Amino acid sequence: MIKRILLAFAIGVLATAALFALSFAADSFGFTSLANAFLWQNTLLQSFAPLGNMGTSEHPVYEGTPLNFLAFLASVPLGIVIYSVMAYAVLSMVRRRA
């Protein structure tokens, strides 16, 4: 069981790292929607962080806050936890069928 937990955690770390890399690559090529899909947990957390409007109401210019940076940092462990739990569930189902 410990072996399965460690394997699921390793899969979660690798999946999060790979999706972060794919997200940054997609964003650098101009595929913003694809980058947001790859890094969905960051997109979700960023939606809760408020943005300050530095422009006028006719021409808004939004600036991030330190909360946006904290949301970005929190998206890493969130992704690891979610993908590890998913990997553990899949490994458990495979174990039962074998």
Side-chain angles (χ1 to χ4, degrees):
M1 178 156 163
I2 297 295
K3 187 176 180 181
R4 192 176 338 151
I5 291 172
L6 290 175
L7 180 60
F9 181 73
I11 291 170
V13 170
L14 289 174
T16 302
L19 288 173
F20 259 81
L22 286 172
S23 174
F24 284 115
D27 191 49
S28 69
F29 286 115
F31 300 115
T32 307
S33 297
L34 184 61
N36 289 339
F38 282 143
L39 207 55
W40 64 268
Q41 66 271 18
N42 182 44
T43 306
L44 175 70
L45 292 177
Q46 291 292 338
S47 69
F48 295 117
L51 296 174
N53 184 4
M54 304 301 288
T56 63
S57 59
E58 295 84 23
H59 301 287
V61 177
Y62 293 104
E63 183 177 83
T65 64
L67 291 175
N68 294 99
F69 182 67
L70 291 176
F72 172 75
L73 292 179
S75 68
V76 176
L78 178 65
I80 291 172
V81 168
I82 289 172
Y83 292 126
S84 295
V85 168
M86 289 172 51
Y88 184 80
V90 169
L91 289 172
S92 295
M93 286 192 299
V94 168
R95 171 102 170 129
R96 285 186 195 137
R97 290 186 182 185

